[in-house]
């Protein structure tokens, strides 16, 4: 009788552990999905905000985009020649 009870208890414990493991896996998957959605929103928001800020700086600096591109190209070439 003792062996039968201990086997039954062992099986119940194993079922409980399996169920907990399954639930933790499901919660982890859901949290990972939510994290991905949150990161995507933050990146989109950050890119737009940075673009807007950069455009404001370009508009207020008084130098044309073509001149800035030319300066960047010259700087790039100078750095590569070192």
């Amino acid at each position: 009788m003792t062996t039968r009870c201990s086997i039954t208890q062992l099986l119940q414990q194993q079922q409980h552990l399996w169920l907990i493991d399954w639930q933790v896996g499901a919660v982890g998957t859901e949290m990972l999905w939510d994290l991905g959605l949150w990161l995507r929103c933050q990146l989109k928001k950050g890119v737009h905000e940075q673009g807007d800020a950069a455009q404001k700086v370009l508009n207020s600096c008084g130098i044309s985009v073509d001149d800035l591109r030319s300066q960047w190209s010259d700087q790039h070439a100078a750095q590569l020649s070192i």
Side-chain angles (χ1 to χ4, degrees):
M1 191 69 138
T2 308
T3 306
R4 191 173 191 186
C5 285
S6 61
I7 290 174
T8 303
Q9 288 175 343
L10 181 63
L11 290 174
Q12 286 176 344
Q13 287 176 350
Q14 206 172 17
Q15 273 186 320
H16 288 209
L17 287 174
W18 180 85
L19 183 60
I20 290 170
D21 184 55
W22 184 84
Q23 288 172 333
V24 167
V27 168
T29 300
E30 183 178 351
M31 289 177 71
L32 185 61
W33 179 258
D34 290 344
L35 177 62
L37 292 175
W38 181 81
L39 281 171
R40 188 176 301 132
C41 287
Q42 294 303 311
L43 286 173
K44 284 182 180 178
K45 179 181 170 186
V47 167
H48 291 300
E49 288 175 355
Q50 287 177 357
D52 291 344
Q55 190 62 49
K56 285 180 185 176
V57 170
L58 284 173
N59 293 341
S60 67
C61 76
I63 301 173
S64 72
V65 173
D66 290 335
D67 287 341
L68 290 171
R69 283 188 180 138
S70 176
Q71 288 178 17
W72 179 84
S73 178
D74 293 344
Q75 179 183 357
H76 187 254
Q79 288 175 342
L80 289 178
S81 69
I82 293 177

